Amino acid sequence: ITALFEGDFMPGDHWDIYPASAREQQLLDDADAKNNEVGEEGIVSIFEAEKEAIWDWKDIYSVASADATIKISSGDIHVDDYRYYVAG
């Protein structure tokens, strides 16, 4: 998520850039893993990842944020639903 965020984000003075975070999602069962196949052997782990930067200076407040679902199988890493946006 950090590499994708840095590809979209143009840092400058006064931005506080925070570390990326990821939360592992629980797979319901083997059938769930097979229904969400990334590689030949199905998904091993799913993470919801996000990264954020905040500008809070001289009455200006903006947030740049990226999030994605990262699916990992025994042989592949796949990024789904990547979103990047800036508000403020």
Side-chain angles (χ1 to χ4, degrees):
I1 193 75
T2 298
L4 293 169
F5 179 83
E6 289 174 353
D8 290 326
F9 179 68
M10 298 180 67
D13 293 342
H14 310 293
W15 281 99
D16 293 323
I17 302 171
Y18 295 96
S21 64
R23 292 175 305 283
E24 187 168 9
Q25 302 298 305
Q26 184 84 19
L27 288 176
L28 299 176
D29 54 29
D30 289 339
D32 189 35
K34 295 289 184 205
N35 290 336
N36 288 296
E37 283 188 28
V38 171
E40 293 177 11
E41 300 187 24
I43 292 178
V44 175
S45 299
I46 298 175
F47 295 89
E48 295 297 326
E50 62 186 13
K51 185 164 177 71
E52 182 176 82
I54 296 175
W55 172 308
D56 189 3
W57 188 68
K58 289 191 175 186
D59 297 329
I60 299 171
Y61 184 83
S62 293
V63 176
S65 180
D67 57 64
T69 301
I70 299 172
K71 297 178 180 180
I72 301 172
S73 73
S74 60
D76 296 308
I77 298 173
H78 186 76
V79 178
D80 280 346
D81 304 322
Y82 174 72
R83 294 174 299 276
Y84 173 82
Y85 58 93
V86 177

